Amino acid sequence: MSEQKHIVLSSHPPRADARPPEITWGAASASERGPVIGSINTPQQRNVIGVHSGAYGLYRALAIAAGTLDPVHKPDLTNTSPTTQIGPFPQWSDPGKIVSIDPYGHMVADAFSEHLERGFDIRPTIAVTRARIHLPEIREAMAAERVKPDGDVLLEGGEVAVTKAAIEPVWYLAGIAERLGTTEADLRRSLFEYTGGMFPELVTRSDLKVFLPPIGNISVYIFGDITALWDTARQVACRVHDECNGSDVFGSDICTCRPYLTHGIEECVRTAQAGGAGLIVYNRKEGRALGEVTKFLVYNARKRNPDGDNAASYFERTECVAGVEDMRFQDLMPDIFHWLGISRVDRFVSMSNLKYDAMVAQGIEIGERIPIPDDMIPEDARVEMDAKKAAGYFTDETVSTPDDLSGTKGRALDDY
Amino acid sequence: MSEQKHIVLSSHPPRADARPPEITWGAASASERGPVIGSINTPQQRNVIGVHSGAYGLYRALAIAAGTLDPVHKPDLTNTSPTTQIGPFPQWSDPGKIVSIDPYGHMVADAFSEHLERGFDIRPTIAVTRARIHLPEIREAMAAERVKPDGDVLLEGGEVAVTKAAIEPVWYLAGIAERLGTTEADLRRSLFEYTGGMFPELVTRSDLKVFLPPIGNISVYIFGDITALWDTARQVACRVHDECNGSDVFGSDICTCRPYLTHGIEECVRTAQAGGAGLIVYNRKEGRALGEVTKFLVYNARKRNPDGDNAASYFERTECVAGVEDMRFQDLMPDIFHWLGISRVDRFVSMSNLKYDAMVAQGIEIGERIPIPDDMIPEDARVEMDAKKAAGYFTDETVSTPDDLSGTKGRALDDY
């Protein structure tokens, strides 16, 4: 990099004759909306703050520093296009409906072919592929005859055929501010100041309307005929799941995360087999978006509570450490449903009132709500479950609820 | 926030009389090293670039924007301290040995008690807790009598007792640069320019030596008596695992990630039962740190290859899309071993030459290397496995290796 001498610390709007394509969020068509350009190899084309790949943009910068990646590398996107068509849907051209992802992110090759021909470096922010997934819990469900193979959705060996997508965050700042009940100016200022000064452009470049934040992506897994998702005559089962590495990957028994996730997959399989579609939305919001360090600190504070780890003081422990109970902002979560053209979920595999309220506020109808079966709740996870029920979690007659929250106790640290 | 009028776009070194504690990386003791202060509620105390919680720092800023979190909230850390003592070890006071985490991050209450009394807002960057994990694959291993319950490490019901830790990234920039073979100035410039201008302080504040990057954290799971990790007279089994959400959580059959991880856990249980300790290191480096969108794009390019998805062109597809085969920078990975005082791994559950070479380069002895058992490799994952073997993956007589890489073919997209 020795030939580059001049460091520009903060960008300025380009001269009129060198302007990159404008983004008109929520415009009626892709060409009117304009492409999102976040690549760093031709800075004068950029029309966003930040770079692609969310938090992995940092690794890209490391690779350039280490001399292993050419900074002007342009991806060869041959054969990478989606394995199935998704959209466009009317929801895409309503500026208030989708604010945290780019609905055209998977189809940039088609939607912005003209810009691509003119040399703009437009990259997908969404990738759609096919997979077969093989889960021990689905094999157990087959053995217990809760699900049966049909040779299409669920194969004899227990494999499940899915379409899946990875979706990077693309934040339309005015829309995010509106969804969170604040002003764009305050949002920009907070995002700048309370990240320790990340991206001065947030406050200096109000002409840049879109931000690619360095956070994790969303993954979706779709079961059965994908077109059933947007066909209201057919059933949709869905679980919205927020990452919990300790349970999802390692099977920790302090919460219900993986059991509820695999129960959701079972429901998705059954609904797909009956002619509908299933959907798992997986959001990288570890520990209620507080991160895993905070989560483990809270575990210790709970387990060392002189009154024992108990449902009555469950939320309080989180708030002492983190300042809030939850930072997940479910208000932004329904975007993924609008992207998939979904207006109704018939079987919502979630007891969360926050998720339910966010969906309904976005005009997505919810039919039945499916609690986790009682026998899937690990003993030590009853503290969390009972605390959440008392705080507004959905329950029905299949769900046991204690009268006295302080009676639901978890394991103490000495008992591990 | 209406009372705050003045926005400071780029910070400047404070006056001498208002200086925060200095960080002398790799000093002989915690007090000589100095605390890492990344909180935003008292900006004049800060001695780093960036904020705590990695990528989740963005959610904290959102919470302040939405008015749900008080920006001056200071965590109440009562009862959050580690459940077991780790260190200090001689490795902690060698400035070249640990460059990407803060070895004192879990013990700030003890190590920096004096600073805390003087009102500095010092937060843990590491949390250590206890857990019980319950994995279907371990129940299967018990049924097959590959592991037997002992009532301590592995319980009758299949639960495994572990100590676990979450570790946030804390980058000592001069050390990172040295590890990657570049200069600190070039590293700072690349991190700034190729993230689209994140943190001007990277180039303007060379007095700030430490960066808290907005990326994912590391998790470690420890099996058996933790003191065996740093006691060279006892055995250590270890798998270093890089995140693969599609397999680790959803069981996708295109790779060996979850099977190898659960095999690693089996090895950890056996070694712990024999009086040693087991260690799983889980790094958030999805898709070789290229991110999941890039990963899924590459899947499509592989599956649509006119010659079929095959081992011979496996790496080439990644490089076409991403510009590199891999961005994981295993060079930084051994830090976690130095933090845990580990100088020898007797049973390394990995075939990766990149991981092996990085460990050896850091002076960590490796005894046996344990390949994934052949019968745990999903059929469609043989493409990846054979490509990696040809590129330098460790193999032994238990591992089958094809003569002709183009013969190892995966499923085409039409066959899903």
Side-chain angles (χ1 to χ4, degrees):
Chain A
M1 292 197 304
S2 49
E3 70 281 11
Q4 302 175 304
K5 294 288 179 230
H6 183 62
I7 299 178
V8 180
L9 279 183
S10 177
S11 67
H12 304 276
R15 296 187 322 267
D17 58 351
R19 282 211 181 116
E22 258 188 64
I23 299 175
T24 308
W25 199 264
S29 67
S31 59
E32 290 164 272
R33 208 289 306 269
V36 166
I37 306 181
S39 106
I40 34 84
N41 64 12
T42 39
Q44 67 280 11
Q45 296 183 350
R46 290 168 49 81
N47 60 6
V48 300
I49 300 163
V51 289
H52 287 295
S53 308
Y56 292 104
L58 273 284
Y59 283 91
R60 192 191 298 110
L62 275 192
I64 297 171
T68 58
L69 175 64
D70 181 350
V72 299
H73 167 79
K74 213 167 157 175
D76 168 6
L77 296 171
T78 308
N79 288 333
T80 63
S81 65
T83 52
T84 186
Q85 200 179 330
I86 296 173
F89 297 110
Q91 289 92 326
W92 295 12
S93 51
D94 176 335
K97 282 223 185 295
I98 299 181
V99 299
S100 63
I101 60 179
D102 176 5
Y104 302 101
H106 57 310
M107 51 193 283
V108 295
D110 289 332
F112 306 110
S113 54
E114 213 182 288
H115 285 97
L116 285 163
E117 274 163 35
R118 284 159 58 202
F120 288 101
D121 184 8
I122 304 166
R123 304 189 179 190
T125 59
I126 300 178
V128 182
T129 189
R130 304 258 315 142
R132 281 211 193 139
I133 64 176
H134 209 174
L135 291 159
E137 289 87 348
I138 293 297
R139 292 196 292 275
E140 289 171 359
M142 280 171 70
E145 297 192 349
R146 294 198 304 270
V147 290
K148 292 189 180 69
D150 63 297
D152 180 23
V153 176
L154 175 60
L155 309 185
E156 284 292 338
E159 301 95 332
V160 181
V162 297
T163 292
K164 62 180 184 176
I167 300 111
E168 282 174 17
V170 178
W171 287 4
Y172 173 56
L173 291 165
I176 301 264
E178 199 184 331
R179 204 70 73 79
L180 300 187
T182 184
T183 64
E184 185 180 343
D186 267 2
L187 174 68
R188 285 172 174 266
R189 185 175 180 141
S190 284
L191 280 173
F192 172 71
E193 289 200 348
Y194 298 115
T195 54
M198 188 191 282
F199 294 116
E201 281 71 13
L202 286 164
V203 288
T204 60
R205 293 290 305 272
S206 57
D207 61 312
L208 296 175
K209 306 290 188 193
V210 170
F211 176 36
L212 306 181
I215 60 172
N217 65 286
I218 303 168
S219 310
V220 299
Y221 283 72
I222 297 155
F223 304 75
D225 176 10
I226 192 169
T227 67
L229 288 180
W230 48 85
D231 175 357
T232 49
R234 288 192 281 167
Q235 298 265 311
V236 172
C238 170
R239 169 154 180 82
V240 175
H241 189 87
D242 293 328
E243 174 172 32
C244 169
N245 188 260
S247 171
D248 295 346
V249 175
F250 287 97
S252 162
D253 72 354
I254 200 172
C255 59
T256 57
C257 297
R258 185 169 173 100
Y260 213 171
L261 176 64
T262 58
H263 181 63
I265 293 173
E266 261 189 69
E267 291 287 350
C268 286
V269 167
R270 277 190 289 268
T271 304
Q273 288 178 330
L279 170 68
I280 303 286
V281 179
Y282 193 90
N283 295 306
R284 300 305 186 292
K285 293 181 179 173
E286 177 62 56
R288 299 191 201 137
L290 304 169
E292 203 177 38
V293 169
T294 299
K295 180 177 185 168
F296 288 5
L297 294 174
V298 171
Y299 285 165
N300 285 348
R302 281 174 52 191
K303 297 290 180 182
R304 287 189 182 118
N305 186 337
D307 299 329
D309 180 23
N310 70 84
S313 57
Y314 170 83
F315 283 112
E316 195 186 301
R317 291 297 102 206
T318 304
E319 197 160 344
C320 281
V321 176
V324 292
E325 288 174 8
D326 196 309
M327 280 187 193
R328 281 178 288 181
F329 295 99
Q330 299 295 357
D331 325 73
L332 304 175
M333 174 272 287
D335 283 16
I336 200 81
F337 291 86
H338 294 317
W339 177 59
L340 289 166
I342 298 172
S343 56
R344 179 179 159 85
V345 171
D346 300 275
R347 297 173 63 72
F348 191 52
V349 189
S350 168
M351 297 162 77
S352 165
N353 49 318
L354 298 173
K355 290 175 189 166
Y356 176 86
D357 292 348
M359 299 277 280
V360 170
Q362 278 296 309
I364 297 158
E365 243 184 280
I366 304 280
E368 202 183 345
R369 293 157 80 178
I370 319 275
I372 185 170
D374 219 57
D375 62 4
M376 281 188 165
I377 302 174
E379 204 44 50
D380 202 45
R382 296 210 173 263
V383 173
E384 174 172 324
M385 186 47 79
D386 288 345
K388 286 180 169 178
K389 284 178 203 161
Y393 243 39
F394 168 78
T395 56
D396 63 17
E397 72 286 348
T398 70
V399 179
S400 66
T401 309
D403 295 328
D404 173 17
L405 280 185
S406 60
T408 307
K409 298 240 166 150
R411 201 181 292 131
L413 279 177
D414 294 340
D415 300 332
Y416 275 86
Chain B
M1 293 195 303
S2 49
E3 72 279 11
Q4 302 176 306
K5 294 287 180 232
H6 183 62
I7 300 178
V8 179
L9 279 183
S10 176
S11 68
H12 302 277
R15 296 187 321 267
D17 58 353
R19 285 216 178 112
E22 259 187 64
I23 298 174
T24 309
W25 199 265
S29 67
S31 59
E32 291 164 90
R33 209 291 305 270
V36 166
I37 306 180
S39 104
I40 33 86
N41 64 12
T42 39
Q44 68 279 12
Q45 296 183 351
R46 289 168 48 81
N47 60 7
V48 300
I49 301 163
V51 288
H52 287 295
S53 309
Y56 292 103
L58 274 284
Y59 283 91
R60 192 190 299 111
L62 274 192
I64 297 172
T68 58
L69 175 64
D70 181 349
V72 299
H73 167 79
K74 213 167 155 175
D76 168 5
L77 296 171
T78 308
N79 288 333
T80 62
S81 65
T83 53
T84 186
Q85 199 178 330
I86 296 173
F89 297 110
Q91 289 92 325
W92 295 12
S93 50
D94 176 336
K97 281 223 184 297
I98 299 181
V99 298
S100 62
I101 61 180
D102 175 4
Y104 302 99
H106 57 309
M107 50 192 283
V108 295
D110 289 331
F112 306 110
S113 54
E114 212 182 287
H115 285 98
L116 285 163
E117 274 163 36
R118 284 159 58 202
F120 287 101
D121 184 8
I122 304 165
R123 305 190 178 188
T125 60
I126 299 178
V128 182
T129 189
R130 303 262 311 146
R132 281 211 193 139
I133 64 175
H134 210 174
L135 292 159
E137 290 87 345
I138 293 297
R139 293 197 292 275
E140 290 172 358
M142 280 171 70
E145 298 192 350
R146 293 198 304 269
V147 289
K148 293 189 180 68
D150 63 297
D152 181 24
V153 176
L154 176 60
L155 309 185
E156 283 293 337
E159 301 96 331
V160 181
V162 297
T163 292
K164 63 180 185 175
I167 300 111
E168 282 175 17
V170 178
W171 286 4
Y172 173 57
L173 290 165
I176 301 263
E178 199 184 332
R179 203 70 73 80
L180 301 186
T182 183
T183 64
E184 185 180 344
D186 267 2
L187 174 68
R188 286 172 175 266
R189 184 175 181 142
S190 284
L191 280 173
F192 172 70
E193 290 200 347
Y194 298 115
T195 54
M198 187 190 283
F199 294 117
E201 281 71 12
L202 286 164
V203 290
T204 61
R205 293 290 306 270
S206 57
D207 61 311
L208 296 175
K209 305 292 188 193
V210 170
F211 175 37
L212 306 181
I215 60 172
N217 66 286
I218 303 168
S219 310
V220 298
Y221 283 72
I222 297 155
F223 303 76
D225 175 11
I226 192 170
T227 68
L229 288 180
W230 47 86
D231 175 356
T232 49
R234 288 193 279 166
Q235 297 265 309
V236 172
C238 170
R239 171 156 178 81
V240 175
H241 189 87
D242 293 329
E243 175 173 32
C244 168
N245 187 261
S247 171
D248 295 345
V249 175
F250 288 97
S252 161
D253 73 354
I254 200 173
C255 59
T256 57
C257 297
R258 184 168 173 100
Y260 213 171
L261 175 65
T262 58
H263 182 64
I265 293 173
E266 263 189 65
E267 291 286 350
C268 285
V269 167
R270 278 190 289 267
T271 303
Q273 288 178 329
L279 170 69
I280 302 286
V281 179
Y282 193 91
N283 295 306
R284 300 305 186 293
K285 292 181 180 174
E286 177 63 55
R288 299 192 203 136
L290 304 169
E292 204 178 36
V293 169
T294 298
K295 181 177 183 167
F296 288 4
L297 294 173
V298 171
Y299 285 167
N300 284 349
R302 281 175 52 192
K303 297 290 182 181
R304 287 189 180 118
N305 186 336
D307 298 330
D309 180 23
N310 69 85
S313 56
Y314 170 83
F315 283 112
E316 195 186 301
R317 290 297 102 204
T318 305
E319 196 159 346
C320 281
V321 176
V324 292
E325 287 174 8
D326 195 307
M327 279 187 194
R328 279 179 288 181
F329 295 99
Q330 299 295 357
D331 325 74
L332 304 175
M333 174 273 285
D335 283 17
I336 200 82
F337 291 87
H338 293 318
W339 177 60
L340 290 166
I342 297 172
S343 56
R344 179 180 159 83
V345 171
D346 301 276
R347 296 172 64 70
F348 191 52
V349 188
S350 168
M351 297 161 77
S352 165
N353 48 318
L354 299 172
K355 291 176 188 164
Y356 176 86
D357 292 347
M359 299 276 279
V360 170
Q362 278 297 310
I364 297 158
E365 242 182 280
I366 304 280
E368 204 182 344
R369 294 157 80 178
I370 319 274
I372 185 171
D374 219 57
D375 62 2
M376 282 189 164
I377 302 173
E379 208 37 55
D380 202 46
R382 297 212 172 260
V383 173
E384 175 171 324
M385 186 46 80
D386 288 345
K388 287 179 169 178
K389 284 179 204 160
Y393 244 40
F394 169 77
T395 56
D396 63 15
E397 72 287 349
T398 70
V399 180
S400 66
T401 309
D403 295 328
D404 173 17
L405 281 184
S406 60
T408 306
K409 298 240 168 153
R411 202 182 289 131
L413 280 176
D414 294 340
D415 300 333
Y416 276 86

